[in-house]
Amino acid sequence: MPTLVQFGAGNIGRSFVAQLFAAAGYAVIFVDVVDELVTALNARGRYRVMVMETRQEDIWVDGVRAVQGKDLEAVADALADCDIAATAVGPNALPFLYPGIARGLRRRRERHGARPLDIILAENLRNAASIVRAGLQQALPADFPLDDLVGLVETSIGKMVPIMTEAQRLADPLGVCAEAYNTLILDALAFKNPIPPVPGLAPKRNIAAYVDRKLFVHNLGHAAIAYLGHLYDPYLTYIWQVADIPELRDRARAAMEESARALLAAYPDEFTADALHAHSEDLLRRFRNRALGDTVFRVGRDLLRKLSREDRLIGAMLFDLAHGVPCPATARVAAAALEFRGTDERDRLSAPDAKFADELYPLGLDAIFTRICGLDLAASPDRDVADAIRVAHRSIKADVSIA
């Protein structure tokens, strides 16, 4: 039986990557630092994915176990003998993986010589392969043949997975809710081994186009629903409630269409206007999935990351302007993000959002633009992005009753 080592036993790791490979006959070894998860996975050897569409469908994922990510010897042993690996930990946690992966790569070379390892990077991160390569180079000996022995496979993660409620977590600590979407777009050119014949994998030769589409259409549209919805009515809880309001859905669509025009200019051989339009409309339909129960809080939280230069708001605006596309609708979404104060089921801000609201927002827009957004206010196009958001922010502050 082939084996997948899955770094991160969180929502995407369990509901998406591991589920696909387990269904194709792979044994799955999770690597995680949460003791409760590791213990439960080893005790049960299986977990449930609750697919939330018009009705709930349960999928059981069997043949799984876990190792503690802080146990570098156990991590190295798992990587040394596995057939493929994947990460789904979030960009901020990636650096914590490098020591264990590096040790595993060295052990793999000792045991198996020049047997390469492909690592699927399920991180929703632009230039993920370059970032991970640089991190591994720091953790490996200078003479380790990283580019020969490791395939760093970027992905476009389109699956939506809501936060489990406290009641759901108590009922089943290993259960995870997710939508039915199950297509994993990944870089066909990055594999060192043959691409695994796993149903649901969708290899693409131009992965950059699909990473940009995910970030600047899907992530941007999702964020637009959250931020515009919170501005419109701070008491709206669910994404579907916002997406059901035609005016707000139209504003989100307008931002997504700005990115679509830029994508068409950037990747004319990969996309068509009709295909990008259909993709946006399908996303807006999926955002209205009531059964999924996705929340405005989950989609909008973490302003420090989502307002950063390479992410879905500022990154989209810079991308648009680089391809000659004006982006007033996206600027409005970014301006609405500045006013986002969404809270969880216990009425708490996320830690990054509390820092934003208490420490950074009071410093003013210029401080936000430079410290969080990474914009150089003395140079274009950065100055143009800041000016557009400034205009939009004045507009929404003047009439916060209209999102």
Side-chain angles (χ1 to χ4, degrees), residues 57-253:
E57 176 188 353
D58 290 348
I59 297 174
W60 285 95
V61 180
D62 295 295
V64 306
R65 65 182 181 90
V67 300
Q68 169 55 249
K70 296 176 184 176
D71 184 348
L72 298 188
E73 284 298 302
V75 173
D77 273 337
L79 276 182
D81 297 322
C82 73
D83 294 273
I84 193 167
T87 75
V89 298
N92 293 336
L94 275 174
F96 297 102
L97 303 186
Y98 301 147
I101 294 176
R103 187 174 299 198
L105 292 175
R106 294 196 303 270
R107 186 160 301 172
R108 185 180 185 89
R109 191 182 185 198
E110 291 168 0
R111 291 183 184 177
H112 303 291
R115 180 187 177 190
L117 176 67
D118 293 312
I119 304 176
I120 295 172
L121 306 174
E123 299 298 345
N124 271 335
L125 177 66
R126 290 187 93 193
N127 305 311
S130 297
I131 292 169
V132 173
R133 180 179 292 107
L136 290 176
Q137 284 174 335
Q138 293 295 316
L140 286 163
D143 61 349
F144 188 90
L146 179 63
D147 291 333
D148 295 329
L149 295 185
V150 182
L152 296 173
V153 183
E154 294 191 24
T155 63
S156 171
I157 304 297
K159 188 162 190 166
M160 293 184 287
V161 184
I163 297 173
M164 299 285 285
T165 66
E166 186 172 354
Q168 288 172 324
R169 290 193 299 271
L170 289 173
D172 183 359
L174 289 182
V176 59
C177 294
E179 65 169 343
Y181 181 90
N182 234 15
T183 300
L184 178 56
I185 294 172
L186 35 64
D187 185 357
L189 303 181
F191 285 88
K192 301 298 182 183
N193 299 294
I195 298 173
V198 172
L201 299 190
K204 303 293 183 182
R205 297 181 65 83
N206 187 354
I207 190 62
Y210 291 89
V211 171
D212 284 349
R213 187 186 71 168
K214 171 57 169 49
L215 194 57
F216 301 146
V217 176
H218 186 156
N219 289 141
L220 170 63
H222 220 188
I225 292 291
Y227 296 140
L228 296 173
H230 184 76
L231 184 68
Y232 180 87
D233 181 352
Y235 295 101
L236 291 173
T237 299
Y238 297 105
I239 288 295
W240 69 261
Q241 292 175 307
V242 182
D244 270 355
I245 300 172
E247 175 190 358
L248 301 182
R249 193 166 65 247
D250 288 345
R251 287 193 180 276
R253 179 186 288 111

